[in-house]
Amino acid sequence: MQDTYSNFFFRNHCNNKELISSSQKDDLYFYDPILNFASRGAGHLSPLFLRTATGKGMDIRASGLNGEPGYLRCERGLGDFRRGRWVLFTARTTGDSVLVTAVESASPPDFAALGGLELGAPWIAVSPERASALGFETPESALALSPKTNGRTSPSFDSLLSVLKDPSLDAARPLGIVANPAHPAAEAALSLLRLERIQPAIVGFDLPKSAQNQIDTACAEGSLVRVFDSDVATYPRTQALGLRRVSEAKVPLSDSLDSSFIVFREPGGREHVAIEVGSPNRQEPVLLRLHSACLTGDLFGSLRCDCGEQLRSAIGLMQDAGGGVLLYLAQEGRGIGLGNKIRAYAIQDQGLDTLDADRVLGFGEDERRWEAAAAILRDLGIWRVELMTNNPEKIAALRNEGVLVEHRRALQAPIHRYNVRYMTAKAERAGHLLDDSE
């Protein structure tokens, strides 16, 4: 039989680079110069491998008319969360479900919307970080909290909800709370909120079998969306794979007259910018800065952080070096978003450092993800870099995404009385390297 794959090619339509050469006999060979590996299969490549290996130049959908169904379910679920609606989460392995709404968006939760469902007592699930900040022994997983039944000091559910809704009230939280491990489906809901920079806390109900028919009808009618825990697990990667270059233009800067802005957009609308300074030589490691957006520091010159100084310093150093790329990533507040960052500032004013303040809100010390950054680099044809950073985690993250980080260059900013606690926390607790040594 004639080999139908002998002249099989793929091209990245962003830079028209050939990514797949040819196959021999029944095997299809694939070589990716960015990820620096070859693969061969029995006449085909999986859609997942193609999406991962080719980056953003190709729009490959595994299934579904409008995209991958799991991704679409997450998008619908997030939209409903933002509007204070109820969302159904199901664990694939067991089939068990919970009906939940976000604490932050529900003011108060619209229990009337549940209609005639026969549900038990509600609970509130919080992330491990928030549970620890509430005084529970540091848990490995999320906890479901509810008032003790008939306890003399137990709060009402509404008072418990009001405390958890405002982290500044944690110090005055009521006693009489029962804490149990959260359902795996509830943990998936918390993870999805965390990814979208919404405080990871939910009001929920276990779903009894007696309510199953009504729930199935609501899902079939479209008034309720069912999200699986496996959907949430793959959501960040699928989001990055949908990244697209949307515009570019020359933008002269005060620190570099020869610079260009290239804008990339995720399917959900979040935009990142690649700022190309000068003419970086892609045959050598490209000088690279991963810079997470910081409205307060970058635009207004806030003294609470070193972000603005690092941003301007990086551009100047790239100009002096003859070229480089700065990725300006929409990851405000180490990935918790602007609203939560300002909340964390208020908590810091009560005496906590930046990492503990984020924990009180329910977030980890760094919620940023780097799939989108790696996708942009692949689109730009950059796979070897000299990274400007003091954060070893960025080096590990890029390498994990297939980018070769060959050197690190320190990027220092002045330490003064307004940012010394912030800088100290980064060095002593987050492992940042605040000196010029490697």
Side-chain angles (χ1 to χ4, degrees):
M1 182 177 1
Q2 185 177 1
D3 177 16
T4 59
Y5 295 105
S6 59
N7 295 312
F8 194 73
F9 294 88
F10 276 114
R11 291 184 182 275
N12 180 315
H13 65 239
C14 287
N15 54 28
N16 204 34
K17 292 181 65 175
E18 181 179 297
L19 295 179
I20 297 180
S21 56
S22 64
S23 66
Q24 297 175 355
K25 298 183 179 180
D26 293 328
D27 289 333
L28 178 64
Y29 285 80
F30 176 94
Y31 176 70
D32 186 339
I34 297 169
L35 298 180
N36 196 28
F37 64 85
S39 175
R40 105 184 202 179
H44 69 280
L45 291 172
S46 72
L48 175 60
F49 179 83
L50 286 173
R51 292 196 304 275
T52 303
T54 59
K56 305 306 149 291
M58 303 175 63
D59 182 13
I60 300 175
R61 291 169 175 158
S63 62
L65 178 64
N66 288 315
E68 293 184 297
Y71 176 83
L72 297 175
R73 288 191 289 266
C74 287
E75 286 285 284
R76 162 74 188 275
L78 285 171
D80 286 353
F81 270 148
R82 295 188 196 99
R83 294 166 177 82
R85 297 172 182 162
W86 296 91
V87 182
L88 183 69
F89 279 80
T90 300
R92 283 276 192 192
T93 53
T94 64
D96 294 332
S97 299
V98 293
L99 192 63
V100 301
T101 188
V103 166
E104 180 177 332
S105 303
S107 179
D110 186 6
F111 293 109
L114 298 175
L117 287 176
E118 297 179 5
L119 300 174
W123 39 258
I124 300 174
V126 296
S127 67
E129 294 87 355
R130 186 69 181 279
S132 177
L134 284 166
F136 296 95
E137 292 186 11
T138 306
E140 295 182 357
S141 59
L143 292 183
L145 310 177
S146 57
K148 287 182 179 179
T149 303
N150 298 325
R152 290 186 179 180
T153 60
S154 297
S156 68
F157 183 82
D158 289 343
S159 63
L160 175 59
L161 177 62
S162 65
V163 167
L164 294 177
K165 193 175 181 66
D166 184 357
S168 67
L169 298 177
D170 280 352
R173 66 185 182 277
L175 301 174
I177 299 174
V178 177
N180 293 300
H183 192 285
E187 290 198 84
L190 293 171
S191 296
L192 189 59
L193 288 174
R194 190 191 294 259
L195 289 169
E196 196 59 19
R197 300 151 173 84
I198 302 172
Q199 286 188 58
I202 54 176
V203 176
F205 294 88
D206 295 330
L207 195 64
K209 291 183 179 179
S210 60
Q212 193 62 58
N213 288 338
Q214 290 171 280
I215 290 293
D216 289 343
T217 299
C219 290
E221 292 174 346
S223 59
L224 181 68
V225 62
R226 182 192 300 269
V227 180
F228 293 94
D229 53 357
S230 56
D231 298 338
V232 179
T234 58
Y235 178 76
R237 178 70 60 181
T238 310
Q239 179 89 330
L241 290 169
L243 195 77
R244 291 291 177 266
R245 184 190 294 215
V246 296
S247 59
E248 58 186 287
K250 290 283 187 181
V251 181
L253 304 174
S254 59
D255 294 312
S256 173
L257 296 177
D258 182 15
S259 62
S260 299
F261 277 43
I262 307 170
V263 178
F264 294 82
R265 183 180 297 145
E266 293 181 0
R270 189 175 300 138
E271 293 181 336
H272 310 283
V273 183
I275 303 171
E276 187 165 308
V277 176
S279 301
N281 181 4
R282 286 165 169 74
Q283 303 306 312
E284 299 292 334
V286 173
L287 192 57
L288 173 70
R289 167 70 180 166
L290 302 181
H291 190 91
S292 298
C294 178
L295 177 74
T296 52
D298 297 341
L299 181 60
F300 294 103
S302 168
L303 299 177
R304 297 188 74 139
C305 64
D306 59 341
C307 302
E309 291 93 339
Q310 286 189 323
L311 174 63
R312 286 175 282 278
S313 176
I315 295 291
L317 289 171
M318 289 176 185
Q319 177 66 26
D320 295 342
V325 172
L326 186 143
L327 300 190
Y328 196 80
L329 304 167
Q331 300 191 124
E332 183 90 33
R334 293 193 304 276
I336 68 174
L338 179 60
N340 287 314
K341 184 175 83 169
I342 299 302
R343 287 178 176 139
Y345 279 175
I347 295 171
Q348 289 172 45
D349 290 340
Q350 299 176 19
L352 297 183
D353 68 22
T354 180
L355 303 183
D356 283 337
D358 289 353
R359 186 169 61 94
V360 167
L361 293 172
F363 296 100
E365 66 180 37
D366 195 335
E367 295 287 344
R368 291 175 292 184
R369 303 185 65 96
W370 305 104
E371 294 95 339
I376 293 172
L377 292 175
R378 285 195 290 268
D379 181 275
L380 297 175
I382 296 172
W383 61 283
R384 299 169 59 210
V385 302
E386 177 182 358
L387 189 62
M388 306 175 73
T389 187
N390 304 325
N391 185 356
E393 292 297 325
K394 287 185 179 180
I395 299 173
L398 279 186
R399 286 175 174 167
N400 186 58
E401 292 294 327
V403 180
L404 301 181
V405 182
E406 299 195 0
H407 307 285
R408 180 186 80 88
R409 181 180 295 197
L411 189 62
Q412 304 299 336
I415 300 177
H416 45 74
R417 66 189 182 97
Y418 295 104
N419 70 6
V420 62
R421 190 171 59 164
Y422 170 78
M423 300 291 283
T424 300
K426 289 207 301 184
E428 295 182 354
R429 300 190 59 190
H432 287 218
L433 307 171
L434 299 185
D435 57 50
D436 292 328
S437 65
E438 292 294 316

